[in-house]
Every structure is written in C-alpha cells, then in structure tokens.
Amino acid sequence: MGNAQEKPPGSGGGGARPDQATAGSGTRRRGGGSMEKPRTEKRVANGTQRERNPAGGQEEQGSPAVDTSYLDAPAGALPPHIARLKNEGNHIFKHGQFGDALEKYSQAIDGCAEAGIDSPEDLCILYSNRAACYLKDGNSTDCIQDCTKALELQPYSLKPLLRRAMAYETLERYRNAYVDYKTVLQIDTGVQAAHDSVHRITKLLIEQDGPEWREKLPQIPVVPMSVQQQHRDKPVSAEVAQARAARAAQEEVRRKEARFTLLKREGNDLVKKCHFQEALEKYSECLSIKPDECTIYTNRAICLLKLNRFEEAKQDCDSALQLEPANKKAFYRRALAYKGLQDYLSASSDLQEVLQLDPNIQEAEQELEIRFKNKNIPDKTT
C-alpha cells in the first residue's frame, strides 16, 4: 500500500495559514512569538556597494529591474490582492518551487474565506493548483482532499479529476484511480495519460481481483452531455493543441505500421500460393506507406520476374541496392532480370557480385555455369 505521509503546514481543508510568513514580510516565531525585523547588511564587492536582505535576497545597484507584471494579470473574479497571490503561485510553481507555490495558494484560499468571496470556479482552480503542489511533493493524501474539494465546487472539472486519479494510483488505490481516469476520458478522449493509466491499471486490477474485477469497482459516474459539450467548446491552449497533435501523429504512425505489417504478410502468403499479380499489388501498397523499405522492393521483384516484367524487376532491384548496396537478394534477382532482358554480361557481373558477398549461394553458381555453357549466346546489347 502507499506510504504514510505527513501533512505539511497549510494542508487543512480550508488552507490553514502556514507557520512561516512570506518572504519580505518578516519572520514569525513558532508558538505565536513576536515579529522579528530582518537585518540588512551592507557589503562591498569589487568596489560596488551591495545590500543583502535575508528576506528579499541580494540586490545589486544598477541591475535591471525584475519584471513582475505577471502579478497584476487578471484572475477570474478574484480581487487584485488575491489574484496576485495566485499569479505568484503559478509563477513559482513553473520554476519548480512547489512548497512556496503551495503557500501562496493557501494564502489565496484563506483570503477568499476572509473576504467572503464565493466564486466556485476561482476557488476550484485554487484548490486544484494546491493539489498539484501536494502531488509534486509526494503528499497524495492532501492532494486527494483538495481535488475532492475542487470537484465539490466544480463537478467534472478535468484537472482535479486527473490529479486525484494520479494520487489514488500512487497510494495503490487502483479502483478509485480507474474510476477517475475513466471519468476523465468521458470528458476528453484526447488525454493520453488517462488512456495509458487505464491500460496499466486494468492489468493490475485483473491480477488483484481476478476475472470479476469490474464488479468490485465503485460506480463510474456518467458525465452529462452538456458537460462534455462545454469542454469541447472551450478554447484550446497552445500546450493542449501541441499534445493533441503529437498524439494524433503517434496514432497515425501506429496505424500505418499495422497496415504495412498486414499487407506484407498478405503479399508473402500470396507469393507462396503463386498469386504473383495479387502479391505485387500488396507490395506496391506497402511501398506507398514505407517507400524506403528494401525488403519490399526485393519481394516485389520476385513477382515482376514471375510475370516476365523484367525491366520493372530490374528497377526494383536498383532501388533496393540504393538502400542496401550489399543486398545479395537484390543482386541475384537483378541478374535474373538481366537474363530475361538478354543482357547476359550484366547478369554474369551481378552473379559474381553475389558470390563475392556469399560464396555458398548455389543458385548463383548454377546460373553462372549455365551462362558459361552457353557463352556463344550473344548479349542483347552487342
């Protein structure tokens, strides 16, 4: 089962105030002690006076100002002072400072409670964002609590569902994870992480619960069509669009690979049955999918030789040798094509090339012996 985890400060249901105050606002003594003003030290380095502030970091005279305009970006219906907390949390989360981001989101949640703000959408986002911090810090239990709170505010919200599913999976609560992942896929079938996780967890549940594993699952909620349509109508972010495009590209590659494998197998089976025209068509379709597949050129050359289409067989062997210059089958089959074209000199040259690559190919030796026995037969080119 999952590891027991301690709750960090500020992990209560309503976002309890952290013991440590924010940077730049002084240091709060644990146990309710007095506030202590940070000391400022002046230092000189390389002739330049600097000030070091323990709470605010080091500032250097003449250095460019840090852009903090992102703090003033609008954030739903949140008032400016709470929007700044949320925006700062988002910024430092992106830089991997998950504990500090968690503190900002907790302060924003507390601020909403103190100001009497009742905006389910904005509060849902704050709880979901704080849940992401818990998830990153390995605190799956508090992540689940915050996601559940977010979903009470905004049912069927995608991110809290996905994050709660991940937390359930981390705690090995696979049935709950499965239900949340399946709910996510009702809302958006393009979430690849949910597809992968459902596939993975299904195997675990079969091992854990046996053939009747589905009967032991909690009920999977049916997402209303209105919610699905509302999600589809939302503007797609650039990040989501890129992820969807990447998934579509992967699906197309898999589809083509499966089609290629099937056509090649069908072509090989048709050759064994001496249905060379049908096999040729299968191999031609293979090449429309993978035009640089050497094996298909040599396979199609067999069909063309059997159909007495020697020039086309030679061209396929030429293509194969461009891809693999030491391909013995291509040299041998091109020799047969040259023979069909009555270009015996070129045929002999290719047969000798085959034997240089592999002296044990008896078919090439036999063809050369026939050529030498009939050396008085003139070449077509002479």
Side-chain angles (χ1 to χ4, degrees):
M1 299 301 290
N3 298 327
Q5 300 171 21
E6 295 182 4
K7 294 185 180 181
S11 62
R17 290 183 180 280
D19 291 330
Q20 182 71 31
T22 55
S25 62
T27 304
R28 185 186 301 277
R29 292 181 184 272
R30 294 188 181 271
S34 61
M35 300 295 289
E36 190 175 295
K37 186 176 180 180
R39 292 174 299 187
T40 301
E41 300 176 7
K42 292 188 177 181
R43 298 187 180 184
V44 176
N46 299 329
T48 304
Q49 183 171 314
R50 298 181 181 180
E51 287 191 358
R52 181 180 294 275
N53 187 319
Q58 178 174 291
E59 295 182 0
E60 187 171 328
Q61 289 184 354
S63 61
V66 178
D67 180 17
T68 58
S69 59
Y70 64 88
L71 293 174
D72 298 318
L78 296 176
H81 70 287
I82 297 178
R84 285 177 67 88
L85 289 169
K86 178 192 172 186
N87 292 335
E88 188 173 1
N90 293 350
H91 180 75
I92 57 183
F93 181 92
K94 291 176 182 177
H95 288 79
Q97 301 173 32
F98 307 122
D100 293 338
L102 186 151
E103 185 175 335
K104 295 298 179 185
Y105 294 135
S106 295
Q107 291 175 5
I109 290 169
D110 287 347
C112 288
E114 292 169 0
I117 295 170
D118 184 18
S119 173
E121 184 175 357
D122 292 313
L123 281 168
C124 172
I125 293 170
L126 287 172
Y127 278 109
S128 178
N129 286 2
R130 190 170 70 174
C133 298
Y134 285 133
L135 191 63
K136 289 289 188 180
D137 279 342
N139 188 345
S140 298
T141 300
D142 283 342
C143 174
I144 291 169
Q145 289 179 359
D146 269 9
C147 288
T148 301
K149 180 64 177 176
L151 290 165
E152 289 171 359
L153 293 162
Q154 289 283 99
Y156 306 114
S157 184
L158 191 67
K159 287 184 178 179
L161 272 170
L162 188 57
R163 288 164 183 164
R164 190 172 69 176
M166 292 176 178
Y168 277 139
E169 186 176 1
T170 300
L171 295 177
E172 299 180 12
R173 295 169 63 179
Y174 298 125
R175 296 170 190 163
N176 298 89
Y178 182 91
V179 169
D180 276 355
Y181 282 128
K182 292 293 282 186
T183 307
V184 165
L185 291 173
Q186 288 184 65
I187 301 167
D188 187 347
T189 59
V191 181
Q192 186 61 40
H195 283 288
D196 295 340
S197 297
V198 165
H199 181 70
R200 180 174 59 251
I201 291 174
T202 298
K203 293 181 179 179
L204 292 169
L205 287 173
I206 292 172
E207 293 176 3
Q208 174 183 294
D209 298 332
E212 299 178 351
W213 65 275
R214 291 184 185 276
E215 298 176 8
K216 299 179 181 180
L217 290 173
Q219 185 176 0
I220 300 174
V222 178
V223 178
M225 290 299 297
S226 59
V227 174
Q228 299 178 37
Q229 186 62 45
Q230 185 180 10
H231 180 79
R232 285 194 291 267
D233 291 343
K234 282 184 178 180
V236 178
S237 67
E239 183 180 356
V240 171
Q242 289 175 358
R244 288 182 179 176
R247 181 173 179 268
Q250 291 173 354
E251 287 294 328
E252 181 66 12
V253 169
R254 280 195 286 267
R255 187 191 66 79
K256 286 186 175 181
E257 186 67 36
R259 179 65 179 161
F260 174 87
T261 302
L262 176 63
L263 288 167
K264 181 180 178 182
R265 183 169 64 246
E266 290 176 346
N268 293 347
D269 291 341
L270 288 165
V271 167
K272 292 175 185 177
K273 297 174 183 178
C274 298
H275 298 165
F276 300 113
Q277 180 59 43
E278 293 90 337
L280 185 149
E281 292 169 2
K282 297 292 183 181
Y283 292 137
S284 295
E285 195 171 345
C286 280
L287 288 172
S288 69
I289 298 172
K290 288 188 178 182
D292 295 331
E293 192 71 20
C294 181
T295 304
I296 303 302
Y297 284 108
T298 56
N299 285 5
R300 192 170 69 171
I302 294 175
C303 302
L304 292 167
L305 288 169
K306 295 294 184 179
L307 296 169
N308 294 327
R309 293 161 63 175
F310 301 117
E311 181 60 38
E312 293 171 82
K314 172 192 166 300
Q315 290 173 3
D316 270 5
C317 293
D318 289 341
S319 297
L321 289 167
Q322 286 179 353
L323 295 167
E324 294 182 16
N327 189 294
K328 294 177 288 187
K329 289 183 179 180
F331 275 118
Y332 179 72
R333 290 167 190 172
R334 190 172 69 174
L336 297 181
Y338 278 131
K339 180 181 176 182
L341 294 169
Q342 299 180 24
D343 185 353
Y344 302 111
L345 184 61
S346 296
S348 296
S349 176
D350 275 358
L351 292 169
Q352 290 169 8
E353 190 71 39
V354 171
L355 292 171
Q356 284 183 356
L357 292 168
D358 187 348
N360 297 318
I361 297 180
Q362 295 180 356
E363 294 90 339
E365 287 185 359
Q366 292 169 0
E367 285 291 338
L368 274 177
E369 288 176 4
I370 293 172
R371 167 61 180 155
F372 287 134
K373 288 178 181 178
N374 301 280
K375 59 184 178 180
N376 292 327
I377 298 176
D379 287 340
K380 183 179 179 181
T381 54
T382 57

